[in-house]
Amino acid sequence: ISRSLANCELLHLARGRIDVALAQKQHDQYVAVLEANGIDVTSLPEELELPDAAFVEDTAVLLDEIAIICRPGRESRLREIASVAEFVKAIRNTHWIQGPGTLEGGDVLQIQKTLYVGLSTRTNPEGISQLQGIVRPFGYTVIPVTVKGCLHLKTGVTALNDGMLLANPAWIDVAAFGALKVITVPEEEPWGANTLSVPGKVLVAASAPRTIELLSGEGCPVQVVDISEIQKAEAGLTCLSVLFSDAASE
């Protein structure tokens, strides 16, 4: 978490006071939760002049075969990709989204060999087209999804497992997901759809108690994570990490 977090980009939320020290503590707890669930975590150094740099999800999409280095949709975030790309190049063959295309990883939801990609204020048709050209040789299908009223696709829909999604249909065109089962978040918790699946359970933000109750009723093992200060920066559980398998194909 950057000490300049209070200067983060905002689109749908009003700017309020962010307790950066608390945000840093919550980020540390988030990392501890990932590690406790058997995930090896590499944390990159603080980027003091880049308020949104902790939201690493937007900078790269990692598939088993390759990595795609994204091109953020805001000029202020373009410098964020450098440090992430340096790390990613050591573990994957990399492909880059080129201007005028824009693509942010928060708009890319992978379900097996299908990539659902949000057409949002941060990801444009050219970026989606470039992604499609990059991943097609590896057997992936790209399906655009209309996003309205929220920042990224995964703000409004995340995967609980390969056959079930949690979504806010007011923000996401859920028809794009076809026969996949979609659970709808409670209306009073529109931000509750941003969850993070780890082996054996689903991480859910503490700010969404009704969503936690809903998922528990569906038989989903849930772990609650408090990211209240980070959410003031219009971020969620997925934003803070890029999860990938280390058993990449050559």
Side-chain angles (χ1 to χ4, degrees):
I1 296 289
S2 174
R3 280 167 282 180
S4 62
L5 179 64
N7 298 321
C8 63
E9 291 281 352
L10 290 173
L11 182 61
H12 298 284
L13 290 180
R15 191 172 301 278
R17 180 183 177 275
I18 297 177
D19 184 334
V20 176
L22 179 55
Q24 291 170 333
K25 181 179 179 180
Q26 290 177 346
H27 186 268
D28 290 342
Q29 292 169 340
Y30 172 89
V31 171
V33 167
L34 294 182
E35 292 176 333
N37 282 282
I39 296 171
D40 293 326
V41 178
T42 298
S43 295
L44 299 180
E46 177 190 11
E47 297 273 13
L48 181 57
E49 297 180 358
L50 302 177
D52 295 281
F55 310 135
V56 292
E57 176 185 47
D58 293 328
T59 61
V61 175
L62 269 69
L63 307 176
D64 283 347
E65 302 86 355
I66 58 170
I68 299 95
I69 304 301
C70 299
R71 186 170 183 271
R74 295 289 291 176
E75 184 76 22
S76 65
R77 299 197 63 188
L78 290 175
R79 288 190 294 154
E80 294 176 27
I81 65 176
S83 59
V84 175
E86 195 63 30
F87 172 80
V88 168
K89 286 189 294 184
I91 58 173
R92 292 288 194 280
N93 290 327
T94 57
H95 300 254
W96 295 66
I97 300 298
Q98 305 291 337
T102 62
L103 177 77
E104 294 193 1
D107 278 318
V108 181
L109 176 63
Q110 180 182 0
I111 308 292
Q112 297 181 343
K113 299 290 280 191
T114 300
L115 303 180
Y116 296 93
V117 185
L119 185 58
S120 70
T121 58
R122 301 297 177 84
T123 295
N124 65 18
E126 172 62 21
I128 295 177
S129 177
Q130 288 184 34
L131 176 67
Q132 191 168 36
I134 290 168
V135 303
R136 186 185 295 115
F138 299 94
Y140 290 88
T141 299
V142 172
I143 298 178
V145 183
T146 301
V147 175
K148 58 180 181 179
C150 63
L151 187 61
H152 291 123
L153 178 67
K154 281 188 277 192
T155 309
V157 60
T158 49
L160 304 175
N161 56 50
D162 286 344
M164 191 157 55
L165 303 173
L166 178 67
N168 177 356
W171 289 349
I172 302 297
D173 178 15
V174 296
F177 299 104
L180 292 175
K181 180 179 178 180
V182 178
I183 299 174
T184 299
V185 294
E187 288 187 13
E188 62 269 38
E189 294 178 359
W191 300 87
N194 183 266
T195 64
L196 182 63
S197 292
V198 297
K201 68 184 66 169
V202 178
L203 307 184
V204 184
S207 60
R210 293 287 303 277
T211 302
I212 293 166
E213 181 180 350
L214 174 66
L215 294 180
S216 297
E218 291 283 343
C220 294
V222 169
Q223 183 167 356
V224 180
V225 184
D226 185 3
I227 56 166
S228 57
E229 290 305 303
I230 297 169
Q231 286 178 308
K232 293 178 182 179
E234 206 165 348
L237 289 163
T238 63
C239 303
L240 297 165
S241 58
V242 180
L243 302 187
F244 62 93
S245 168
D246 59 6
S249 303
E250 295 295 333

